[in-house]
Amino acid sequence: SSSQCQACPILTVSWDGSDARVDCLCIPGYTGPDGGDCVACAPGEYKTGNGSAACTACPAGTYSGAEGATDVSTCVTCPDNTDSLSRSDTITDCICNVGY
């Protein structure tokens, strides 16, 4: 019996020669179980590689409103004399430092 190639689910990729659905990995900017449904990283997060790893929070002092971000460069530095918690998703999360 011969087997036919099956398409991976949307937002996933697999290597040449893959032979199981679990070989389908979520693309950067998305996370989920290998072979399963992928969801976009929330604003304030990003994911650089393929696979089921969790999205990474933007560092403290930055924010990002982008959904499905693929690089830390999407995390924008807060304005001077302000700071934010990690995983911040809007400029209004940048709060004035003490004395400002």
Side-chain angles (χ1 to χ4, degrees), residues 5-74:
C5 292
Q6 301 292 316
C8 278
I10 148 178
L11 303 173
T12 66
V13 295
S14 66
W15 302 108
D16 288 345
S18 298
D19 62 0
R21 185 177 170 108
V22 296
D23 294 330
C24 300
L25 308 176
C26 293
I27 60 173
Y30 293 81
T31 189
D34 294 342
D37 293 332
C38 300
V39 294
C41 294
E45 300 178 339
Y46 65 95
K47 182 169 155 269
T48 59
N50 294 327
S52 59
C55 298
T56 302
C58 284
T62 68
Y63 67 94
S64 174
E67 186 174 289
T70 60
D71 192 82
V72 69
S73 65
T74 61

